């Protein structure tokens, strides 16, 4: 069962007992990891990011082999790591071994897009649990990947390794925009050369039923307006959401500090 093909056994499905159990366990592991890391130096945080990134790349390679050898799929949607949450693989490398602006780019994405992307998937894991049992390699892979995305993002923020400013939005938007251009270009070329096998990397070109993307696709009427909206949403909304919460937390902490000094 652990390496069965999609739908070979009854899928776990969304929002059932097994899904909530996996979500709770993942949340507890994230909290435990953050507690154990409370004394980490910046160098130790960098080492942690490096180790986790290497582990995630190993899991991604294993997933690609699973898709190609077990499921037999040759659809690029199933095995090319070019989706929003796949960017943690590249951002992790930039953050852990990059220098200067490249490292900053990795830090900013992990601390913003990584948190939002991870949380959204953990709540609605549409690409795994509706197709596989809970006790399956793909289900474990997806929860581990997205749980670690949230953990790394919070780790960088809590330990002060990444201190966000509004101008950092250009780092995050720049990385995502580059990936959107690559994904859309691939989708168009693939669709032109493989009729009937549409590519949808970065969810830029096709509908994705059962998700909020379906509502956007219907509202926009499909490409090109849909593709532009997907680019703008992915490039800017997650950063602004996290930055807003980050600023609110800093404001609350500053007010508490002032009250403590006054008393």
């Amino acid at each position: 069962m652990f390496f069965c093909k999609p739908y070979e056994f009854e899928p776990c499905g969304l929002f059932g007992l097994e899904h909530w159990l996996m979500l709770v366990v993942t949340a507890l592991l994230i909290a435990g990891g953050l507690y154990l890391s409370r004394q980490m130096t910046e160098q130790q945080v960098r080492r942690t990011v490096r180790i986790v990134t290497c582990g995630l790349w190993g899991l991604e390679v294993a997933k690609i082999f699973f898709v190609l050898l077990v499921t037999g799929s040759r659809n690029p949607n199933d095995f090319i790591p070019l989706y929003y949450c796949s960017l943690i693989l590249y951002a992790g490398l930039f953050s852990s071994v990059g220098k200067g602006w490249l490292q900053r780019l990795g830090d900013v994405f992990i601390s913003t897009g990584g948190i939002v992307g991870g949380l959204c998937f953990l709540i609605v894991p549409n690409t795994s649990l509706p197709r596989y049992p809970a006790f399956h390699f793909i289900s474990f892979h997806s929860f581990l990947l997205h749980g670690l995305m949230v953990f790394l993002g919070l780790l960088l923020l809590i330990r002060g390794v990444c201190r966000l400013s509004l101008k950092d939005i250009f780092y995050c938007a720049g990385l995502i925009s580059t990936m959107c251009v690559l994904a859309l270009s691939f989708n168009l070329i693939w669709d032109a050369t493989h009729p009937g096998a549409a590519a949808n990397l970065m969810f830029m070109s096709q509908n994705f039923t059962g998700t909020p993307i379906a509502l956007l696709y219907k509202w926009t009427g499909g490409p090109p307006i849909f593709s532009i909206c997907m680019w703008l949403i992915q490039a800017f909304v997650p950063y602004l959401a996290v930055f807003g919460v980050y600023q609110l937390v800093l404001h609350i902490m500053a007010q508490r500090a002032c009250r403590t000094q006054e008393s």
Side-chain angles (χ1 to χ4, degrees):
M1 179 186 290
F2 193 71
F3 291 104
C4 69
K5 295 180 180 181
Y7 307 110
E8 187 174 352
F9 290 88
E10 183 178 356
C12 173
L14 301 179
F15 309 121
L17 178 61
E18 291 174 310
H19 177 193
W20 287 113
L21 181 60
M22 295 178 74
L23 187 59
V24 169
V25 170
T26 303
L28 291 175
L29 290 174
I30 293 171
L34 292 173
Y35 177 78
L36 293 175
S37 67
R38 64 193 185 281
Q39 300 297 331
M40 274 189 179
T41 63
E42 179 175 350
Q43 184 178 11
Q44 291 171 323
V45 170
R46 295 287 179 200
R47 188 182 304 120
T48 300
V49 175
R50 189 180 306 117
I51 292 171
V52 170
T53 301
C54 289
L56 291 179
W57 270 106
L59 282 172
E60 191 64 28
V61 171
K63 175 190 173 183
I64 293 171
F65 275 107
F66 171 82
V67 171
L68 296 177
L69 300 179
V70 178
T71 72
S73 174
R74 295 298 182 268
N75 190 321
N77 297 330
D78 295 331
F79 62 86
I80 293 182
L82 195 52
Y83 290 97
Y84 189 89
C85 292
S86 304
L87 301 188
I88 189 67
L89 300 170
Y90 314 106
L93 293 176
F94 299 155
S95 174
S96 57
V97 300
K99 301 295 182 183
W101 68 268
L102 191 62
Q103 185 178 73
R104 183 64 180 175
L105 185 152
D107 290 350
V108 170
F109 178 82
I110 293 172
S111 301
T112 56
I115 294 175
V116 174
L119 283 175
C120 289
F121 183 90
L122 291 173
I123 296 170
V124 189
N126 274 300
T127 58
S128 60
L129 297 191
R131 305 175 66 194
Y132 298 97
F135 186 72
H136 191 277
F137 167 69
I138 294 297
S139 300
F140 276 50
H141 169 278
S142 61
F143 271 77
L144 185 58
L145 168 69
H146 295 88
L148 287 171
M149 287 174 65
V150 177
F151 167 72
L152 290 181
L154 292 175
L155 177 65
L156 291 182
L157 291 177
I158 292 172
R159 298 309 308 149
V161 174
C162 183
R163 301 179 185 274
L164 298 174
S165 64
L166 188 56
K167 65 180 181 181
D168 287 326
I169 194 171
F170 295 108
Y171 285 107
C172 194
L175 173 62
I176 296 168
S177 298
T178 300
M179 295 303 181
C180 283
V181 170
L182 292 174
L184 185 58
S185 300
F186 180 92
N187 293 344
L188 294 173
I189 294 171
W190 179 269
D191 293 352
T193 56
H194 297 77
N200 196 26
L201 301 181
M202 289 293 288
F203 302 113
M204 293 287 293
S205 304
Q206 304 294 327
N207 193 6
F208 188 11
T209 58
T211 71
I213 293 175
L215 298 176
L216 180 64
Y217 192 90
K218 180 180 179 180
W219 178 69
T220 58
I225 302 300
F226 170 75
S227 301
I228 295 172
C229 289
M230 283 301 296
W231 161 57
L232 292 173
I233 291 170
Q234 293 183 94
F236 296 101
V237 173
Y239 180 89
L240 293 173
V242 174
F243 182 73
V245 174
Y246 177 78
Q247 289 296 112
L248 178 62
V249 171
L250 290 182
H251 177 70
I252 293 173
M253 292 175 62
Q255 284 189 328
R256 288 182 177 178
C258 289
R259 292 194 191 103
T260 302
Q261 291 178 350
E262 290 173 357
S263 60

